[in-house]
Amino acid sequence: MPTSHQENHSELTWPIEGVARVPYQVFFDPAIYELEQERLFRGPVWNYVGLEAELPHSGDFKATFVGDTPIVVTRDQEGALHAFVNRCAHRGALVCRELRGNRATHVCVYHQWSYDLKGNLIGIPFRKGIEGKGGYAADFSPTQHSLHKLRAATYDGLIFVSFAEDVEPLAEYIGPTMRPWLDKIFHRPVRVLGYARQLINGNWKLYAENVRDPYHGSLLHLFSATFGLARSSQGGGTLMDEVGRHDILHAHRRTEAQETAAYTNEGLRSYQAKYSLADPSLLKARPEFQDDITTSIHTIFPCLVVQRISNTLAARQFLPKGPDKFELIFTLLGYEDDDEEIRNIRLKQANLVGPAGFISLEDGHAIELVQQAIVHDKTACSFIEFGGREVASQDSLVTEAAIRGFWQYYRRLMGFNESQRGGGNHAK
Ligand code: FES
Ligand SMILES: [Fe+2]
């Protein structure tokens, strides 16, 4: 039976063309946003929340979000990871008010209920009242008032949490297609080099599309095309798991002559051979993997992107902040045993890719342009037929197949079926 909440959400008709169309309503409707929090972020998914490298010691913690629900991740005295909703079991205040740190206990500032690193209630001021008056009754049981605990699991040092009891084990969720690609990046211990945060005035799913969209890379990001960071003439493709929810977008090095010929043959404006950088050190890379890959973007549903662009490595987490806003957080990574030269290359290139550089600035702006244009019109849809209408991995960078894959899985979780009123539909 649909719950009353499901019955109340706004109507949604998904066009008969299926995943080759997306109704713009999903990007602005507050009722759909609410339903996503319940069915998707609190549904049978693993949400990325951080890296083990961010919490190396007992007592280390990190505050973040699952969807827009605040949570805390901790490492306990035995070294195990825990996660709980950052909401006091007394009257609902945010317990942890810092982004990161180290504490033996977490104390709510309002009435000072205190919790251990597993989220258990361990301290209650005036529990028995004062001089026999007030306080809690004798049958008050602290064990009934823990913080709301989530499941936590790790893969390759990436920490994921889930509200759901019925989600598959994390390694299965990531799946056999994605795992070797993550294993390759996280083959030795990583170190956090820093963070970059970007607030983008657009719906979070526009970013889920953007990171699965290989062909804007050389068109929107003219800098990348001009200076050879990303060209659609490169070899590469998009590789999905069997349900289309995760994706690897990979681009491979070709010779300068091959790329220039491919570009000039197509007459694309974005290849400007006459330009050069006054300081080419920005693009100076050092080969470090035994492959010819220049870029691989690994997207784990719903909100993690593991980035390898030239020598930059990063975990990107994107967090919805309402229907028309999301925060994009880059955790920039190197390896623990990096020498100074490679660390400096990573830091310099991070400026190119991140919010203060060209690439993420331009992605954020493109997303805001969409959000500004799609207001009100619930029947209008986007058109996603580049590279066909199917959801299938492709050996090409000129395709929107992985975007269709995202929508295929999104619709399954949300219960939005084709050309039906969406209110009572169940997720399959
Ligand atoms: S709301 Fe946290 S102790 Fe009262
Ligand atoms: Fe981009």
Side-chain angles (χ1 to χ4, degrees):
M1 285 284 288
T3 65
S4 58
H5 184 100
Q6 287 166 338
E7 283 164 354
N8 286 341
H9 93 83
S10 72
E11 291 183 345
L12 180 84
T13 304
W14 205 284
I16 197 77
E17 292 89 345
V19 292
R21 300 287 185 281
V22 175
Y24 292 134
Q25 185 183 356
V26 301
F27 300 117
F28 63 75
D29 186 335
I32 291 176
Y33 178 84
E34 275 303 310
L35 200 66
E36 287 170 353
Q37 301 304 315
E38 174 191 325
R39 290 192 184 172
L40 195 152
F41 294 108
R42 294 181 180 221
V45 303
W46 285 102
N47 296 276
Y48 166 79
V49 290
L51 289 141
E52 289 204 69
E54 293 177 281
L55 296 89
H57 307 297
S58 292
D60 285 350
F61 69 87
K62 176 184 180 181
T64 180
F65 295 84
V66 169
D68 61 13
T69 301
I71 66 135
V72 184
V73 186
T74 64
R75 192 181 287 280
D76 72 14
Q77 303 304 345
E78 292 76 45
L81 291 166
H82 301 272
F84 40 78
V85 175
N86 191 2
R87 182 189 62 230
C88 186
H90 178 219
R91 297 223 316 264
L94 205 64
V95 176
C96 176
R97 296 169 297 137
E98 298 146 297
L99 279 178
R100 277 177 290 278
N102 184 285
R103 289 185 184 285
T105 57
H106 289 272
V107 183
C108 177
V109 73
Y110 201 171
H111 315 90
Q112 294 191 19
W113 281 31
S114 63
Y115 302 90
D116 69 13
L117 298 174
K118 298 179 171 68
N120 299 314
L121 179 60
I122 53 168
I124 308 115
F126 312 124
R127 177 174 171 181
K128 299 195 187 316
I130 295 176
E131 295 174 351
K133 294 178 186 163
Y136 288 111
D139 64 356
F140 172 82
S141 166
T143 57
Q144 302 300 306
H145 302 277
S146 302
L147 297 171
H148 181 149
K149 297 172 186 177
L150 308 186
R151 295 175 66 192
T154 64
Y155 185 82
D156 279 348
L158 299 159
I159 308 169
F160 295 80
V161 303
S162 184
F163 273 89
E165 291 301 321
D166 58 346
V167 64
E168 65 259 56
L170 177 61
E172 275 175 41
Y173 178 83
I174 293 170
T177 308
M178 300 295 299
R179 285 198 304 262
W181 289 76
L182 294 182
D183 296 347
K184 184 177 203 170
I185 287 187
F186 296 100
H187 67 284
R188 61 192 212 269
V190 293
R191 168 181 297 179
V192 175
L193 300 180
Y195 297 92
R197 305 171 85 89
Q198 186 176 2
L199 193 65
I200 296 173
N201 292 308
N203 185 276
W204 69 274
K205 298 185 295 299
L206 293 170
Y207 195 70
E209 289 192 331
N210 176 276
V211 289
R212 290 169 172 83
D213 173 355
Y215 99 100
H216 83 278
S218 63
L219 299 167
L220 174 68
H221 304 307
L222 291 182
F223 177 95
S224 301
T226 301
F227 298 107
L229 266 186
R231 292 177 187 164
S232 294
S233 51
Q234 285 178 296
T238 179
L239 197 57
M240 276 172 273
D241 68 326
E242 71 281 4
V243 289
R245 60 187 165 184
H246 315 314
D247 175 59
I248 303 141
L249 187 163
H250 53 101
H252 301 255
R253 191 176 297 110
R254 297 210 306 188
T255 66
E256 187 69 17
Q258 280 173 320
E259 288 182 25
T260 306
Y263 253 70
T264 44
N265 288 346
E266 294 296 323
L268 294 179
R269 69 186 175 103
S270 52
Y271 185 68
Q272 306 279 355
K274 65 180 187 292
Y275 290 135
S276 63
L277 287 173
D279 178 5
S281 71
L282 182 62
L283 298 176
K284 183 172 163 258
R286 196 171 97 181
E288 60 176 326
F289 294 93
Q290 305 299 315
D291 60 26
D292 64 347
I293 290 172
T294 54
T295 293
S296 56
I297 303 291
H298 319 77
T299 308
I300 306 276
F301 189 93
C303 286
L304 167 66
V305 179
V306 175
Q307 159 199 318
R308 170 186 161 195
I309 299 176
S310 195
N311 288 121
T312 66
L313 303 172
R316 302 182 201 162
Q317 181 190 25
F318 49 111
L319 297 169
K321 301 289 173 192
D324 57 0
K325 221 181 259 0
F326 70 95
E327 188 173 21
L328 172 59
I329 302 160
F330 289 76
T331 303
L332 301 159
L333 303 172
Y335 295 108
E336 264 183 14
D337 59 0
D338 275 351
D339 60 38
E340 201 181 335
E341 184 197 46
I342 191 83
R343 186 170 309 136
N344 286 336
I345 291 173
R346 295 194 209 286
L347 288 170
K348 186 173 260 195
Q349 292 182 348
N351 290 319
L352 168 66
V353 177
F358 288 107
I359 294 174
S360 203
L361 178 151
E362 288 166 343
D363 287 325
H365 187 58
I367 285 166
E368 292 186 354
L369 292 177
V370 176
Q371 196 73 33
Q372 287 165 26
I374 58 169
V375 293
H376 301 308
D377 193 346
K378 291 190 174 177
T379 59
C381 294
S382 62
F383 176 71
I384 311 181
E385 292 192 10
F386 208 47
R389 293 181 185 167
E390 295 76 37
V391 174
S393 299
Q394 294 187 5
D395 294 330
S396 166
L397 293 171
V398 281
T399 178
E400 291 172 327
I403 300 175
R404 292 188 288 275
F406 170 82
W407 290 112
Q408 175 176 283
Y409 197 68
Y410 173 88
R411 289 179 47 192
R412 187 163 137 184
L413 281 185
M414 295 292 288
F416 292 152
N417 294 327
E418 275 154 37
S419 292
Q420 292 175 21
R421 296 291 162 183
N425 290 339
H426 285 283
K428 281 181 265 185

